[in-house]
Amino acid sequence: MFPDHLIIDFDSTFITKESLDELAHLVLLNHKDGVERLKSIKALTLSGMEGKIPFDLSLEKRIALINTNKNDIKQISSELSKEVSLSIKKNKLFIKKNSSNILIFSGGFKEIIIPIVSEYGINEKQIFANQFIYDSIGNVIGIDKNNNMSKKSGKVLMIKALKLSGKIDVIGDGFTDYEIKKSGLASNFYAFIENINREKISQLSDKALNSFDDYINIVND
Ligand SMILES: [Mg+2]
């Protein structure tokens, strides 16, 4: 049976890529320190996800390295809409049918995520992610630090704040997704290995999913 709540991670799970890395590539491609900055950002993403450094520190440092604005963000969201994971795309109807029970938990940014998942029947209220702060002409000048997702173990803080009831499954590829189950507030954590197979995360999971089909088989069993 489909759970009361299915929490799906966005980066490297719902889509094949890391949205902030892609935004960084777009912005920094022609920047004079672009190559160096991109290397630092990639390393910070991995360290944050594998739990080697706190997520809040990883995010803050990455945003400081990316000098971005509203137009870039619109463009990257449109490009990433073509990068939805293969098995998610394939099961669009199943996801739409169950969309009222699906939540997106992401350390990424709402503005990038909304246009992509809305195609799958998942609306803004079901998306829990970070938010940029802009100046009057649309440049990003920071992130909303009051948002749980900007903090260390943000996904755990968020699920605690939501006070969800019933059976909760989590699907994701990173350490922060596993942490939701570790907190005791989710029934199952499934490692999503269609895009990236992190051995440490698979070992911590109840089961590794080669694709979203594997999850459908579990709930239909
Ligand atoms: Mg992820």
Side-chain angles (χ1 to χ4, degrees), residues 161-176:
L162 288 176
K163 300 195 192 319
L164 304 172
S165 57
K167 186 176 183 242
I168 301 169
D169 285 347
V170 179
I171 297 177
D173 66 291
F175 187 77
T176 59

Side-chain angles (χ1 to χ4, degrees), residues 9-13 18 49 155 172-174 176-177 198:
D9 169 50
F10 187 70
D11 293 326
S12 299
T13 299
E18 292 291 317
M49 235 159 7
K155 292 185 180 183
D173 66 291
T176 59
D177 306 307
R198 306 176 207 281

Side-chain angles (χ1 to χ4, degrees), residues 91-148:
N91 292 298
K92 191 172 188 174
L93 281 178
F94 177 89
I95 293 170
K96 270 192 160 174
K97 200 182 91 195
N98 293 288
S99 62
S100 59
N101 298 86
I102 294 175
L103 304 173
I104 302 290
F105 268 36
S106 174
F109 286 81
K110 254 185 144 173
E111 210 170 329
I112 296 173
I113 299 169
I114 291 168
I116 298 171
V117 304
S118 67
E119 294 292 313
Y120 290 74
I122 301 163
N123 68 47
E124 192 175 341
K125 283 186 182 143
Q126 294 161 259
I127 303 165
F128 298 89
N130 277 301
Q131 280 179 290
F132 291 116
I133 296 172
Y134 302 96
D135 67 10
S136 59
I137 54 165
N139 293 312
V140 170
I141 50 167
I143 60 170
D144 178 5
K145 286 190 175 178
N146 293 319
N147 187 318
N148 281 327

Side-chain angles (χ1 to χ4, degrees), residues 53-70:
I53 66 166
F55 181 81
D56 50 354
L57 189 63
S58 159
L59 182 65
E60 209 177 348
K61 285 188 170 186
R62 281 179 282 158
I63 296 302
L65 288 164
I66 309 170
N67 205 7
T68 191
N69 60 48
K70 267 190 180 165

